Structure formats: structure tokens, C-alpha cells
Amino acid sequence: IHHAEIATIRRIIREVTRVLKKNGVLFVTVPTINHHKEKKEIEPSTFIPLDGREKGLPHHYFTPEELRKEFEAFDVEDIHVDNVKHYVLLARKR
């Protein structure tokens, strides 16, 4: 879900929240670091690469605190960094 601006991401999260049943499990992974050399910041924590195969595709980079905030309708059971440097969020819908 990180390939968008935050307004779009929030719409996606609202739709996931709407369709997931109570006690349903949510599993999300997002990158922890911005590895693009040439990029343009279009809003806080959202960048568009100016080169490479993802040129022009928005990338939003979350912090663990932001993940918790954006998924506030869920009980977060775990957030950790996996072996490819992605945040892994495991949560359950209230």
C-alpha cells in the first residue's frame, strides 16, 4: 500500500477496515528505507523516484508510529523489521 500518496493510502485503509470482519487478521509489509538515489518529495514521507524502474511511482515511507496511527481501528499485535528491511505489521480488527 505504500505506492501512493497518503490520501489514497487512507482510502485503502478505510476500505480494508470496512470489508474485514471483526477479529479479522491484517498482514501488511512496507519498506523501512528510501533507497532511491534521485527522488522528489511530494508530501511528508512521500517521494517520487526520478530514475530507475519505479520512476514516477509514488512511495510513502511509514514509521512504526505512523503505522499504528493509520491502522487505529486495529489492535496491533506486532510490528517488526524483517530480513529484507520491511516493517511487518500484524493486527486484528476490533
Side-chain angles (χ1 to χ4, degrees), residues 34-52:
N34 186 342
H35 62 275
H36 298 282
K37 293 178 184 171
E38 294 187 43
K39 58 194 171 269
K40 176 182 176 186
E41 188 169 20
I42 59 170
E43 63 185 18
S45 301
T46 305
F47 300 85
I48 293 181
L50 302 175
D51 61 353

Side-chain angles (χ1 to χ4, degrees), residues 49-62:
L50 302 175
D51 61 353
R53 66 184 182 141
E54 294 186 328
K55 179 180 178 180
L57 180 64
H59 289 66
H60 183 82
Y61 293 93
F62 290 90

Side-chain angles (χ1 to χ4, degrees), residues 3-94:
H3 286 290
E5 296 175 33
I6 194 65
T8 301
I9 292 168
R10 287 178 177 147
R11 283 194 300 275
I12 293 166
I13 293 170
R14 282 194 301 273
E15 183 64 6
V16 168
T17 303
R18 185 185 73 79
V19 300
L20 193 62
K21 292 181 180 183
K22 184 177 179 179
N23 293 317
V25 175
L26 175 73
F27 179 83
V28 173
T29 65
V30 293
T32 60
I33 57 170
N34 186 342
H35 62 275
H36 298 282
K37 293 178 184 171
E38 294 187 43
K39 58 194 171 269
K40 176 182 176 186
E41 188 169 20
I42 59 170
E43 63 185 18
S45 301
T46 305
F47 300 85
I48 293 181
L50 302 175
D51 61 353
R53 66 184 182 141
E54 294 186 328
K55 179 180 178 180
L57 180 64
H59 289 66
H60 183 82
Y61 293 93
F62 290 90
T63 63
E65 295 78 22
E66 185 182 16
L67 284 169
R68 287 181 189 282
K69 178 183 164 231
E70 296 300 337
F71 289 95
E72 66 186 2
F74 294 81
D75 290 322
V76 175
E77 296 180 5
D78 183 44
I79 297 178
H80 68 273
V81 178
D82 67 12
N83 61 345
V84 292
K85 297 184 180 164
H86 282 74
Y87 289 119
V88 177
L89 168 73
L90 180 64
R92 190 171 301 274
K93 186 176 174 190
R94 289 189 196 111

